[in-house]
Amino acid sequence: MNFRGSAGYGLEFTTAGHKNWGKEMQTDVEDGTRYLIDQGVADPNNICIVGASYGGYAAMMAAAKTPELYQCVISFAGVSDVEDLVKLSRFYTSHEMTKKVLGDDYDDLYERSPIYHADKINVPILLIHGDNDKVVQVSQSRDMYRKLSSLDKQVEYVEIDNANHYLSNNQHRLMTFRAIDNFLSKNL
């Protein structure tokens, strides 16, 4: 899926994603899903949205915004609280870039965060996160798991000891793929 904001299509296409998480970037994902259904490539009753990092965010947001499109959700190292992500970036040299890309209107960031729309998620969701992730803090998945659990949602959480954001270790990749395989076999 090459939603606006993706690299490789020129500066204008990339910057079209600035301050756009959960907005037109999300609509691009939904449009892609509907296109695959319309083309007969995807069975509308058998779709699980899966993503990592921003893709994990988009998968969780899709479950909240367009729950009718998906039968399940898998988020690996996904961002569940965009507001928190921007606030925490102030401790790093990338803070100004983070604000430029994601925004700094905290009311807007709150509205674009899946954790604050967890009550709308009505399909099974699998959260996977490494506890040594330096890109997206593991608290993003831990907090989402707690929120979904408190709402009695169908949620599973797999935390991988010492795994990083990139699954650099083969053992961590295998653990992730096994968790995904088990989840899909139960939910599709």
Side-chain angles (χ1 to χ4, degrees):
M1 170 65 58
N2 291 310
F3 45 81
R4 66 194 82 198
S6 297
Y9 296 95
L11 182 62
E12 185 177 335
F13 191 81
T14 300
T15 58
H18 288 188
K19 300 180 183 180
N20 208 331
W21 282 30
K23 296 179 178 179
E24 289 89 359
M25 286 172 72
Q26 193 68 40
T27 304
D28 292 342
V29 174
E30 296 160 12
D31 290 347
T33 302
R34 286 188 176 95
Y35 176 81
L36 292 174
I37 292 168
D38 292 345
Q39 295 299 307
V41 173
D43 176 352
N45 299 310
N46 206 24
I47 299 174
C48 188
I49 185 167
V50 181
S53 197
Y54 167 79
Y57 162 85
M60 289 185 283
M61 203 62 180
K65 290 185 82 170
T66 51
E68 73 281 0
L69 284 178
Y70 308 101
Q71 285 69 56
C72 61
V73 175
I74 300 173
S75 170
F76 172 78
V79 175
S80 64
D81 189 338
V82 185
E83 177 186 7
D84 187 56
L85 183 70
V86 172
K87 286 180 178 176
L88 287 174
S89 76
R90 70 181 179 268
F91 299 113
Y92 301 95
T93 57
S94 62
H95 181 59
E96 290 305 314
M97 178 57 86
T98 301
K99 289 191 310 186
K100 180 179 179 181
V101 172
L102 297 177
D104 59 358
D105 176 338
Y106 292 124
D107 292 334
D108 184 51
L109 294 171
Y110 175 93
E111 286 301 318
R112 294 189 286 132
S113 296
I115 197 164
Y116 301 114
H117 300 283
D119 60 314
K120 298 173 187 154
I121 296 175
N122 294 314
V123 296
I125 184 167
L126 171 62
L127 305 170
I128 306 171
H129 216 119
D131 70 355
N132 195 24
D133 191 328
K134 305 296 186 208
V135 178
V136 175
Q137 292 189 346
V138 69
S139 61
Q140 293 278 341
S141 289
R142 288 175 180 165
D143 292 347
M144 188 65 169
Y145 174 73
R146 280 193 287 274
K147 180 69 171 186
L148 290 165
S149 293
S150 74
L151 295 168
D152 292 323
K153 302 294 182 172
Q154 295 179 64
V155 60
E156 295 178 36
Y157 178 51
V158 176
E159 187 167 301
I160 304 173
D161 290 337
N162 209 30
N164 65 22
H165 191 71
Y166 308 102
L167 291 175
S168 298
N169 176 305
N170 279 337
Q171 181 183 1
H172 297 153
R173 282 188 216 121
L174 286 172
M175 292 171 71
T176 299
F177 294 137
R178 284 186 185 120
I180 290 171
D181 185 50
N182 289 336
F183 181 79
L184 290 174
S185 67
K186 289 188 290 189
N187 293 291
L188 283 186

